[in-house]
Amino acid sequence: MEIPENVKKRLSIPADEHFYAGHTACQGCGAALGLRYVLKTYGKKTIFTIPACCSTIIAGAWPYSTLDAPLFHTAFETTGAVMSGIEAALKVKGYKVKGEDGVMVVGWAGDGGTADIGLQALSGFLERGHDALYIMYDNEAYMNTGIQRSGSTPYGAWTTNTPGGKKHFLEKRHKKKVIDIVIAHEIPYAATASVAYPEDFVRKLKKARDTPGPSFIQLFAPCPTGWRSPTDKSIELARLAVQTAYFPLFEYENGRYKINMPSPKKEPKPIEEFLKFQGRFKYMTKEDIEILQQWVNHEWEKLKKLAEIFG
């Protein structure tokens, strides 16, 4: 259905749809919503490379695709390498890459394929300086293969290889700060985003498009299946992750930090507000919750200090 121009002008995000019905995502899937926003922003002039993950299944089995854009399915560990090759080939062919009228090369990978298996390829992509965007959609575990823990799994979480119950083998390491690893490469643009704040995400996608060189966005994308959460709570959980400062929104641009919190003057909510809807945290003790809260407080204060010094 064609959307009238007067309606389009009133919308806060692009109206056009390039992510179609018929995909195989679970109800409440944050990754599917994230893909929809990326395609709304960049449209058909996007080339995706997606490794083994939920999203390669969501897109559909060949010869069909729910993405109205070219898509390259690749091996788990190779997202950074493949998108580098695509960008280089486009330039050899004479295509403009990045910019509003250019082709957007987008690597779209989960936290397992980024924080762990694909970290070396991501690092190579960043240090070589390719004109492309890597998006890590962060659902905090290897969801497609059965909910195993990843480097992005938070302290206290249940997964199938950090089980709860009487033996209490919950995740005992804190979430790997992939965004900090990326920033250490001193790239032009990196940011965090959340599916609960689409206007902020779209703005950052446009900035990544218009900034020469490699860009990176870490997108918070709830997974009701792996998180054991109600399917209608995904947006609320993504919002609470930001409001508790568990997943703060910020940008790193040419050496400067800028915090993008929706209510910057408000103190973060307690972490229990984020935990309470999720079965993956039901085995946490009061001591576990306090340990996670202390980590959140420490990381939040560190970010505020970085924004103060390098803002």
Side-chain angles (χ1 to χ4, degrees):
M1 183 181 69
E2 185 67 26
I3 300 174
E5 287 299 320
N6 64 323
V7 174
K8 287 183 179 182
K9 290 178 181 178
R10 296 201 302 269
L11 298 177
S12 58
I13 61 174
D16 295 337
E17 293 288 355
H18 299 281
F19 182 67
Y20 296 133
H23 62 76
T24 58
C26 301
Q27 289 185 349
C29 174
L33 191 55
L35 272 171
R36 182 185 176 207
Y37 291 146
V38 173
L39 282 161
K40 274 180 167 290
T41 307
Y42 296 151
K44 295 181 179 182
K45 292 185 73 174
T46 312
I47 298 177
F48 284 93
T49 176
I50 302 179
C53 62
C54 291
S55 292
T56 198
I57 305 301
I58 290 170
W62 187 89
Y64 305 104
S65 175
T66 193
L67 280 63
D68 187 19
L71 165 61
F72 194 100
H73 295 276
T74 187
F76 221 149
E77 71 277 15
T78 62
T79 305
V82 173
M83 61 189 294
S84 299
I86 293 171
E87 181 259 13
L90 286 169
K91 287 183 174 179
V92 168
K93 290 285 191 179
Y95 289 94
K96 181 181 177 182
V97 182
K98 272 200 170 186
E100 191 169 357
D101 58 343
V103 179
M104 275 302 297
V105 180
V106 177
W108 174 271
D111 47 280
T114 303
D116 304 333
I117 295 174
L119 191 59
Q120 54 81 23
L122 169 62
S123 179
F125 156 71
L126 296 172
E127 70 175 57
R128 287 190 299 269
H130 295 280
D131 290 312
L133 168 63
Y134 192 115
I135 301 176
M136 166 182 156
Y137 71 92
D138 189 0
N139 54 30
E140 302 191 320
Y142 290 86
M143 299 306 184
N144 187 45
T145 53
I147 319 171
Q148 296 88 11
R149 59 90 53 199
S150 77
S152 198
T153 300
Y155 178 91
W158 166 92
T159 69
T160 52
N161 55 357
T162 54
K166 293 180 180 178
K167 293 189 177 180
H168 203 64
F169 292 137
L170 301 178
E171 178 58 46
K172 293 300 181 185
R173 287 169 287 240
H174 288 295
K175 184 181 178 76
K176 186 185 292 186
K177 298 302 290 291
V178 177
I179 188 76
D180 290 354
I181 297 171
V182 169
I183 289 172
H185 290 74
E186 298 183 346
I187 65 171
Y189 187 74
T192 60
S194 168
V195 294
Y197 298 93
E199 291 87 356
D200 177 75
F201 183 33
V202 168
R203 181 182 64 80
K204 288 170 177 174
L205 287 169
K206 290 179 179 178
K207 188 169 283 191
R209 178 195 65 195
D210 298 335
T211 302
S215 303
F216 177 89
I217 295 177
Q218 183 169 342
L219 176 68
F220 197 73
C223 172
T225 303
W227 292 10
R228 299 297 192 253
S229 59
T231 57
D232 62 348
K233 292 288 186 182
S234 291
I235 298 302
E236 185 174 353
L237 282 171
R239 189 175 295 122
L240 283 168
V242 173
Q243 292 172 343
T244 58
Y246 170 75
F247 192 89
L249 301 178
F250 74 95
E251 295 170 281
Y252 170 87
E253 188 173 7
N254 295 316
R256 295 184 177 276
Y257 287 80
K258 182 180 180 182
I259 296 174
N260 313 120
M261 297 294 273
S263 302
K265 293 183 179 179
K266 286 188 177 181
E267 285 296 309
K269 294 181 178 181
I271 194 63
E272 288 96 329
E273 294 294 307
F274 171 65
L275 305 178
K276 64 184 180 182
F277 295 123
Q278 302 175 66
R280 62 174 176 157
F281 293 120
K282 73 177 182 179
Y283 298 105
M284 291 179 77
T285 63
K286 288 184 178 180
E287 181 183 4
D288 289 328
I289 294 172
E290 181 56 31
I291 290 171
L292 182 57
Q293 182 69 73
Q294 289 176 4
W295 178 82
V296 170
N297 294 346
H298 176 266
E299 294 297 320
W300 175 232
E301 291 302 319
K302 184 172 74 173
L303 178 60
K304 288 195 294 182
K305 185 62 69 175
L306 286 167
E308 180 184 331
I309 298 172
F310 301 106

